[in-house]
Coordinates of all heavy atoms in Angstrom, one line a residue:
M1 N 106.0 85.5 101.4 CA 104.9 85.8 100.7 C 103.8 86.2 101.8 O 103.6 85.6 102.9 CB 104.4 84.4 100.1 CG 103.1 84.5 99.4 SD 102.6 83.0 98.6 CE 103.6 83.0 97.2
A2 N 103.0 87.2 101.4 CA 101.9 87.7 102.2 C 100.7 86.8 102.1 O 100.5 86.0 101.2 CB 101.4 89.1 101.7
A3 N 99.9 86.9 103.2 CA 98.6 86.0 103.2 C 97.6 86.8 103.7 O 97.6 87.7 104.6 CB 98.9 84.9 104.3
V4 N 96.4 86.6 102.9 CA 95.1 87.1 103.4 C 94.1 86.0 103.4 O 94.0 85.2 102.5 CB 94.7 88.2 102.2 CG1 93.4 88.8 102.5 CG2 95.7 89.2 102.1
T5 N 93.3 86.1 104.4 CA 92.4 85.1 104.7 C 90.8 85.7 104.4 O 90.6 86.7 105.0 CB 92.3 84.5 106.2 OG1 93.6 84.0 106.3 CG2 91.2 83.5 106.3
V6 N 90.2 85.1 103.5 CA 88.8 85.5 103.2 C 88.0 84.3 103.3 O 88.2 83.1 102.8 CB 88.7 86.0 101.7 CG1 87.3 86.4 101.5 CG2 89.7 87.0 101.4
E7 N 86.9 84.3 104.2 CA 86.0 83.2 104.4 C 84.8 83.3 103.6 O 84.1 84.4 103.6 CB 85.7 83.1 106.0 CG 86.9 82.8 106.8 CD 86.5 82.5 108.1 OE1 85.3 82.3 108.5 OE2 87.4 82.7 109.1
F8 N 84.4 82.3 102.9 CA 83.2 82.2 102.0 C 82.4 81.1 102.6 O 82.7 80.2 103.4 CB 83.7 81.8 100.7 CG 84.3 82.9 99.8 CD1 85.7 82.8 99.6 CD2 83.8 84.0 99.4 CE1 86.4 83.6 98.9 CE2 84.5 85.0 98.6 CZ 85.9 84.9 98.5
P9 N 81.0 81.1 102.3 CA 80.1 80.0 102.8 C 80.6 78.7 102.3 O 81.3 78.5 101.2 CB 78.9 80.4 102.1 CG 78.9 81.8 101.8 CD 80.3 82.1 101.6
E10 N 80.4 77.7 103.0 CA 80.9 76.2 102.7 C 80.4 75.8 101.2 O 81.1 75.0 100.6 CB 80.5 75.2 103.7 CG 81.2 75.4 105.0 CD 80.9 74.3 106.0 OE1 80.4 73.4 105.6 OE2 81.1 74.6 107.2
N11 N 79.2 76.1 100.8 CA 78.6 75.8 99.5 C 79.1 76.4 98.4 O 78.7 76.2 97.2 CB 77.1 75.8 99.6 CG 76.7 77.3 99.7 OD1 77.4 78.2 100.1 ND2 75.4 77.6 99.5
L12 N 80.2 77.4 98.5 CA 80.7 78.1 97.4 C 81.7 77.2 96.7 O 82.7 76.7 97.4 CB 81.3 79.4 97.9 CG 81.8 80.4 96.9 CD1 80.6 81.0 96.0 CD2 82.5 81.6 97.5
T13 N 81.6 77.1 95.5 CA 82.7 76.3 94.7 C 83.6 77.3 93.9 O 83.2 78.6 93.7 CB 82.0 75.4 93.7 OG1 81.2 76.2 92.6 CG2 81.1 74.5 94.4
L14 N 84.5 76.8 93.4 CA 85.6 77.7 92.6 C 84.8 78.2 91.3 O 85.1 79.5 91.0 CB 86.7 76.8 92.1 CG 87.9 77.7 91.5 CD1 88.5 78.7 92.3 CD2 88.9 76.6 91.0
A15 N 84.0 77.6 90.7 CA 83.2 77.9 89.7 C 82.2 79.2 90.0 O 82.0 80.1 89.1 CB 82.4 76.9 89.0
K16 N 81.8 79.3 91.1 CA 80.9 80.2 91.7 C 81.7 81.6 92.1 O 80.9 82.6 92.5 CB 80.0 79.8 92.8 CG 79.1 78.7 92.1 CD 78.1 78.4 93.5 CE 77.3 77.2 92.9 NZ 76.4 76.8 94.1
L17 N 83.0 81.5 92.2 CA 83.7 82.7 92.8 C 83.4 83.9 91.9 O 83.3 83.8 90.6 CB 85.2 82.4 92.8 CG 85.9 81.6 94.0 CD1 87.2 81.3 93.9 CD2 85.5 82.3 95.2
D18 N 83.3 85.0 92.6 CA 83.1 86.3 91.9 C 84.2 86.4 90.7 O 85.3 86.3 90.9 CB 83.3 87.4 92.9 CG 83.0 88.9 92.2 OD1 82.5 88.7 91.0 OD2 83.3 89.8 92.8
P19 N 83.7 86.7 89.5 CA 84.7 86.9 88.3 C 85.6 87.9 88.6 O 86.9 87.8 88.0 CB 83.8 87.2 87.1 CG 82.4 86.7 87.5 CD 82.3 86.7 89.0
A20 N 85.4 88.9 89.4 CA 86.4 89.9 89.6 C 87.6 89.4 90.4 O 88.7 89.8 90.2 CB 85.7 91.0 90.4
L21 N 87.2 88.5 91.3 CA 88.3 87.8 92.1 C 89.3 87.1 91.3 O 90.4 87.0 91.3 CB 87.7 86.9 93.2 CG 88.7 86.4 94.1 CD1 89.5 87.4 94.9 CD2 87.9 85.5 95.2
R22 N 88.6 86.3 90.2 CA 89.4 85.4 89.4 C 90.3 86.3 88.4 O 91.4 86.1 88.2 CB 88.6 84.5 88.6 CG 88.1 83.3 89.6 CD 87.3 82.2 88.7 NE 86.0 82.9 88.7 CZ 85.1 82.6 87.7 NH1 85.6 82.0 86.6 NH2 84.0 83.0 87.6
Q23 N 89.7 87.6 88.1 CA 90.3 88.4 87.1 C 91.5 89.0 87.9 O 92.5 89.2 87.2 CB 89.4 89.4 86.6 CG 90.1 90.5 85.6 CD 89.0 91.5 85.1 OE1 88.0 91.4 85.5 NE2 89.6 92.5 84.4
L24 N 91.3 89.3 89.1 CA 92.5 90.0 89.9 C 93.6 88.9 90.0 O 94.9 89.4 89.8 CB 91.9 90.3 91.3 CG 93.0 90.9 92.2 CD1 93.6 92.2 91.8 CD2 92.4 91.1 93.7
A25 N 93.3 87.8 90.2 CA 94.4 86.8 90.2 C 95.1 86.6 89.0 O 96.3 86.5 88.9 CB 93.8 85.3 90.7
T26 N 94.5 86.7 87.9 CA 95.0 86.6 86.5 C 95.9 87.8 86.2 O 96.9 87.6 85.9 CB 93.8 86.5 85.4 OG1 93.1 85.4 85.7 CG2 94.5 86.4 84.1
E27 N 95.5 89.0 86.7 CA 96.2 90.2 86.5 C 97.4 90.2 87.4 O 98.4 90.9 86.9 CB 95.4 91.4 86.9 CG 94.3 91.7 85.9 CD 93.4 93.0 86.2 OE1 93.7 93.6 87.2 OE2 92.4 93.3 85.6
L28 N 97.4 89.5 88.4 CA 98.6 89.4 89.3 C 99.6 88.2 88.8 O 100.7 88.1 89.4 CB 98.3 89.1 90.7 CG 97.5 90.3 91.4 CD1 97.1 89.8 92.8 CD2 98.3 91.5 91.5
G29 N 99.2 87.6 87.7 CA 100.0 86.5 87.2 C 99.8 85.2 88.2 O 100.7 84.5 88.1
C30 N 98.7 85.0 88.7 CA 98.5 83.9 89.6 C 97.2 83.1 89.1 O 96.6 83.6 88.2 CB 98.2 84.4 90.9 SG 99.7 85.3 91.6
E31 N 97.0 82.0 89.7 CA 95.8 81.2 89.6 C 95.3 80.8 90.9 O 96.0 80.7 91.8 CB 96.0 80.1 88.6 CG 97.0 79.0 89.2 CD 97.4 78.0 88.2 OE1 96.7 78.0 87.0 OE2 98.1 77.0 88.3
I32 N 94.0 80.5 91.0 CA 93.3 80.0 92.2 C 93.3 78.6 92.2 O 92.8 78.1 91.3 CB 92.0 80.7 92.3 CG1 92.0 82.2 92.3 CG2 91.3 80.2 93.7 CD1 90.7 83.0 92.4
R33 N 93.7 78.0 93.4 CA 93.7 76.4 93.5 C 93.1 76.1 94.7 O 93.2 76.8 95.7 CB 95.2 75.9 93.4 CG 95.9 76.1 92.1 CD 97.1 75.4 92.2 NE 98.0 75.7 91.1 CZ 99.3 75.5 90.9 NH1 99.9 75.0 91.9 NH2 99.9 75.7 89.8
L34 N 92.5 75.0 94.7 CA 91.8 74.3 96.0 C 93.0 73.8 96.8 O 93.8 73.0 96.3 CB 90.9 73.4 95.7 CG 90.1 72.8 96.8 CD1 89.3 73.8 97.6 CD2 89.1 71.7 96.3
G35 N 93.1 74.3 98.1 CA 94.1 73.8 99.0 C 93.5 72.8 100.1 O 92.4 72.4 99.8
A36 N 94.3 72.7 101.1 CA 93.9 71.7 102.1 C 92.7 72.4 102.8 O 92.7 73.5 103.0 CB 95.0 71.4 103.1
N37 N 91.9 71.5 103.4 CA 90.8 71.9 104.2 C 89.8 72.9 103.6 O 89.2 73.8 104.1 CB 91.2 72.4 105.5 CG 92.1 71.6 106.5 OD1 91.8 70.3 106.5 ND2 93.0 72.1 107.0
R38 N 89.7 72.6 102.3 CA 88.7 73.4 101.3 C 89.2 74.8 101.4 O 88.2 75.7 101.5 CB 87.3 73.3 101.8 CG 86.7 71.8 101.5 CD 85.1 71.6 101.7 NE 84.6 72.9 101.2 CZ 84.1 73.1 100.1 NH1 84.4 72.3 98.9 NH2 83.3 74.1 99.7
T39 N 90.3 75.1 101.4 CA 90.8 76.5 101.4 C 91.3 76.9 99.9 O 91.8 75.9 99.3 CB 92.0 76.8 102.3 OG1 93.0 75.9 102.1 CG2 91.5 76.6 103.8
Y40 N 91.2 78.0 99.5 CA 91.7 78.3 98.2 C 92.9 79.1 98.3 O 93.1 80.0 99.2 CB 90.7 79.2 97.3 CG 89.3 78.4 97.1 CD1 88.2 78.5 97.9 CD2 89.4 77.5 96.1 CE1 87.1 77.8 97.5 CE2 88.2 76.8 95.7 CZ 87.1 76.9 96.6 OH 85.8 76.2 96.2
K41 N 93.9 78.8 97.5 CA 95.1 79.6 97.5 C 95.4 80.2 96.1 O 95.0 79.6 95.1 CB 96.3 78.5 97.7 CG 96.3 78.0 99.1 CD 97.4 77.1 99.3 CE 98.5 77.7 100.1 NZ 99.7 77.0 100.4
V42 N 96.0 81.4 96.1 CA 96.3 82.1 94.9 C 97.8 82.0 94.8 O 98.6 82.3 95.7 CB 96.0 83.7 95.0 CG1 96.4 84.4 93.8 CG2 94.4 83.8 95.3
V43 N 98.3 81.3 93.8 CA 99.6 80.8 93.5 C 100.1 81.3 92.3 O 99.3 81.5 91.3 CB 99.8 79.4 93.6 CG1 99.4 78.9 95.1 CG2 99.1 78.7 92.7
P44 N 101.4 81.7 92.2 CA 101.9 82.1 90.9 C 101.7 81.2 89.8 O 101.9 80.0 90.0 CB 103.4 82.4 91.3 CG 103.6 82.4 92.6 CD 102.4 81.6 93.2
R45 N 101.4 81.7 88.7 CA 101.1 80.9 87.5 C 102.5 80.3 86.9 O 103.4 80.9 86.9 CB 100.4 81.7 86.4 CG 100.0 80.7 85.2 CD 99.1 81.5 84.3 NE 97.9 82.0 84.8 CZ 96.7 81.4 84.9 NH1 96.7 80.1 84.5 NH2 95.7 81.9 85.3
E46 N 102.3 78.9 86.7 CA 103.6 78.4 86.1 C 104.0 78.9 84.7 O 103.1 79.1 83.9 CB 103.6 76.8 86.0 CG 103.3 76.3 87.4 CD 103.0 74.7 87.5 OE1 103.2 74.1 86.3 OE2 102.7 74.3 88.4
K47 N 105.2 79.0 84.4 CA 105.6 79.6 83.2 C 105.8 78.5 82.1 O 106.3 77.4 82.6 CB 106.9 80.3 83.2 CG 106.9 81.6 84.2 CD 105.9 82.6 83.7 CE 106.0 83.9 84.7 NZ 105.1 84.8 84.5
N48 N 105.6 78.7 80.9 CA 105.9 77.8 79.8 C 105.1 76.4 80.0 O 105.6 75.4 79.7 CB 107.4 77.5 79.8 CG 108.1 78.7 79.4 OD1 107.7 79.5 78.8 ND2 109.4 78.8 80.0
V49 N 103.9 76.5 80.5 CA 103.0 75.3 80.8 C 102.0 75.4 79.7 O 101.2 76.4 79.6 CB 102.5 75.1 82.1 CG1 101.5 74.0 82.2 CG2 103.7 74.9 83.0
V50 N 101.7 74.5 78.9 CA 100.5 74.5 77.9 C 99.5 73.6 78.5 O 99.7 72.3 78.6 CB 101.0 74.0 76.5 CG1 99.9 73.9 75.6 CG2 102.2 75.0 76.0
R51 N 98.4 74.1 78.8 CA 97.3 73.3 79.3 C 96.4 73.0 78.2 O 95.8 73.8 77.4 CB 96.5 74.1 80.4 CG 97.5 74.4 81.6 CD 96.7 74.8 82.7 NE 97.4 75.4 83.8 CZ 98.1 74.7 84.6 NH1 98.2 73.3 84.6 NH2 98.8 75.1 85.5
L52 N 96.1 71.6 78.0 CA 95.3 71.2 76.9 C 93.8 71.1 77.4 O 93.5 70.8 78.6 CB 95.6 69.8 76.5 CG 97.1 69.7 75.8 CD1 97.4 68.4 75.4 CD2 97.2 70.7 74.6
P53 N 92.9 71.4 76.5 CA 91.5 71.3 77.0 C 91.1 69.9 77.4 O 91.6 69.0 76.8 CB 90.6 71.8 75.8 CG 91.5 71.7 74.7 CD 92.9 71.8 75.3
V54 N 90.2 69.6 78.3 CA 89.9 68.4 78.9 C 88.6 68.0 78.1 O 87.5 68.8 78.1 CB 89.6 68.4 80.4 CG1 89.0 67.2 80.9 CG2 90.8 68.7 81.1
R55 N 88.6 66.8 77.6 CA 87.4 66.3 76.9 C 87.0 65.0 77.6 O 87.7 64.1 77.8 CB 87.7 66.0 75.4 CG 87.9 67.1 74.6 CD 88.0 66.9 73.1 NE 88.7 65.6 72.9 CZ 89.0 65.0 71.7 NH1 88.6 65.7 70.7 NH2 89.6 64.0 71.6
L56 N 85.8 64.9 78.0 CA 85.2 63.6 78.6 C 85.0 62.5 77.7 O 84.5 62.9 76.4 CB 83.9 64.0 79.3 CG 84.1 65.0 80.5 CD1 82.6 65.2 81.1 CD2 85.0 64.5 81.6
R57 N 85.4 61.3 77.8 CA 85.1 60.3 77.0 C 84.6 59.1 77.7 O 84.9 58.8 78.9 CB 86.4 59.9 76.1 CG 87.4 59.5 76.9 CD 88.7 59.4 76.0 NE 89.9 59.1 76.9 CZ 90.4 57.8 77.0 NH1 89.8 56.8 76.5 NH2 91.4 57.6 77.8
Q58 N 83.7 58.3 77.0 CA 83.2 57.1 77.6 C 84.2 55.9 77.7 O 85.1 55.7 76.7 CB 82.1 56.7 76.9 CG 81.3 55.4 77.5 CD 80.1 55.1 76.6 OE1 79.6 55.7 75.7 NE2 79.6 54.0 77.1
I59 N 84.4 55.2 78.7 CA 85.2 54.2 78.9 C 84.4 53.0 78.8 O 83.5 52.7 79.7 CB 86.1 54.3 80.2 CG1 87.0 55.4 80.2 CG2 86.9 52.9 80.3 CD1 87.6 55.7 81.5
N60 N 84.7 52.0 77.8 CA 84.0 50.9 77.7 C 84.6 49.7 78.3 O 85.9 49.4 78.0 CB 83.7 50.6 76.2 CG 82.8 51.7 75.5 OD1 81.8 52.0 76.2 ND2 83.1 52.0 74.4
Q61 N 84.1 49.1 79.4 CA 84.7 48.0 80.0 C 83.7 46.8 80.0 O 82.4 46.9 80.0 CB 84.9 48.2 81.5 CG 86.0 49.4 81.7 CD 86.2 49.8 83.2 OE1 85.4 49.4 83.9 NE2 87.4 50.1 83.5
P62 N 84.2 45.7 79.8 CA 83.4 44.4 79.8 C 82.7 44.2 81.1 O 83.1 44.7 82.1 CB 84.2 43.3 79.6 CG 85.6 43.8 79.9 CD 85.7 45.3 79.7
G63 N 81.4 43.8 81.1 CA 80.6 43.5 82.3 C 81.2 42.2 83.1 O 82.1 41.7 82.7
P64 N 80.6 42.2 84.3 CA 81.0 41.1 85.1 C 80.7 39.7 84.4 O 79.7 39.6 83.7 CB 80.2 41.1 86.4 CG 79.2 42.2 86.0 CD 79.6 43.0 84.8
G65 N 81.6 38.9 84.5 CA 81.4 37.5 84.0 C 81.9 37.4 82.5 O 82.0 36.4 81.8
A66 N 82.3 38.5 81.8 CA 82.9 38.5 80.6 C 84.3 38.0 80.6 O 85.0 38.3 81.4 CB 82.8 39.9 80.0
A67 N 84.6 37.2 79.5 CA 86.0 36.7 79.4 C 86.9 37.3 78.6 O 86.6 37.9 77.6 CB 86.0 35.2 79.2

């Protein structure tokens, strides 16, 4: 596999990446993932995987001292 290193400022997050870069990864059949040492890797997209949307929900836990 070929490797290309692109350095971005430390404050750059995956959400802030240039949409053209994300679109390029999609066109190549890949996705961008956060790797070790805050590096991003472009990896082949897994086949036959259905990703469900994430919904945040509140978790109710009893307070301290509750029985």
Side-chain angles (χ1 to χ4, degrees):
M1 178 181 281
V4 176
T5 302
V6 180
E7 294 187 18
F8 294 106
E10 289 184 19
N11 62 349
L12 187 68
T13 63
L14 184 59
K16 292 180 182 178
L17 278 178
D18 183 11
L21 184 59
R22 287 185 275 144
Q23 181 179 356
L24 175 63
T26 302
E27 288 177 7
L28 294 174
C30 299
E31 61 185 2
I32 300 175
R33 293 185 187 164
L34 181 62
N37 299 328
R38 291 194 36 85
T39 59
Y40 294 102
K41 295 181 99 176
V42 178
V43 295
R45 188 174 295 277
E46 298 175 9
K47 303 289 183 190
N48 301 325
V49 175
V50 177
R51 300 196 189 281
L52 299 175
V54 176
R55 293 188 320 182
L56 299 177
R57 61 185 172 100
Q58 182 177 354
I59 298 174
N60 295 319
Q61 294 180 334

